[in-house]
Amino acid sequence: LLAVSGVTLATIEENDTDVDLRYAGGLPPHSIEAIVQGGLDADVAAALWAAKAGGIRTYGTSSAATLDTNGATRTVYFTRPTLVNAYAEVTVEVNAATYDADHSDMMDAVANVTTGQLAGAPIRRSDVNIAARAVTGVIDCTRVRLGRTALGVTDLNLTCTVREVLKLASARVTVVLVT
């Protein structure tokens, strides 16, 4: 799957038992779930069909049709990671003479931390701190809080599952100035 054009991440989950584990967030018996970020659906389906063993079914939230070696159309299932909105609160000490008073440079810099974010990858407070300190007029970044809601930000890195991609946006960045 990683050889498919545009694929940036591929993870395979497997249930090789006779037990249906869907009730516990798992997979049906004798199945695989490919969690794939990037690539075209048809290309992912073709590569997955070509790589999987006979008798093993595919499972997931997305699907695409592909042809098997006999020319029969097969539906192949896989999962695309879900985008999850992330929120940041950044406390900075600034030089008022050179800092952008409307905070747009800061909000954009912090949001850009998640450009190219991979499924399952955390947003690290240290990365946000580095981005904030690079903004013109910032003397120091004294606190970074992250969360999945504006009111749920904490002083911890923000984690997610391999089925999720965390995404910041300028509108979800709050800037707190200290003097």
Side-chain angles (χ1 to χ4, degrees):
L1 288 173
L2 289 173
V4 172
S5 177
V7 169
T8 55
L9 179 127
T11 301
I12 304 291
E13 300 290 332
E14 172 186 33
N15 179 2
D16 60 358
T17 72
D18 293 329
V19 179
D20 189 336
L21 299 174
R22 286 177 286 189
Y23 68 90
L27 307 178
H30 305 287
S31 67
I32 58 171
E33 178 186 22
I35 302 156
V36 184
Q37 187 173 358
L40 298 175
D41 287 355
D43 296 342
V44 169
L48 186 55
W49 182 261
K52 78 169 197 69
I56 302 298
R57 68 181 178 177
T58 58
Y59 180 76
T61 57
S62 298
S63 66
T66 191
L67 297 177
D68 67 15
T69 55
N70 296 321
T73 300
R74 303 294 185 156
T75 301
V76 178
Y77 295 89
F78 51 94
T79 296
R80 296 292 192 177
T82 304
L83 287 177
V84 174
N85 288 341
Y87 294 78
E89 178 188 280
V90 182
T91 303
V92 290
E93 179 183 352
V94 300
N95 176 339
T98 57
Y99 179 74
D100 175 20
D102 73 358
H103 307 301
S104 61
D105 290 347
M106 176 63 68
M107 294 185 302
D108 291 346
V110 171
N112 285 337
V113 166
T114 57
T115 299
Q117 186 83 358
L118 294 177
I123 300 175
R124 299 189 188 284
R125 293 170 50 233
S126 58
D127 293 338
V128 174
N129 189 305
I130 290 167
R133 291 187 62 218
V135 173
T136 300
V138 171
I139 297 167
D140 195 10
C141 178
T142 59
R143 187 176 194 190
V144 173
R145 300 175 73 210
L146 301 168
R148 290 178 179 237
T149 66
L151 297 176
V153 293
T154 67
D155 290 314
L156 300 171
N157 291 335
L158 187 58
T159 60
C160 64
T161 71
V162 72
R163 291 178 174 83
E164 300 172 313
V165 178
L166 297 170
K167 189 67 178 163
L168 287 165
S170 298
R172 295 190 302 271
V173 175
T174 302
V175 180
V176 178
L177 297 180
V178 294
T179 54

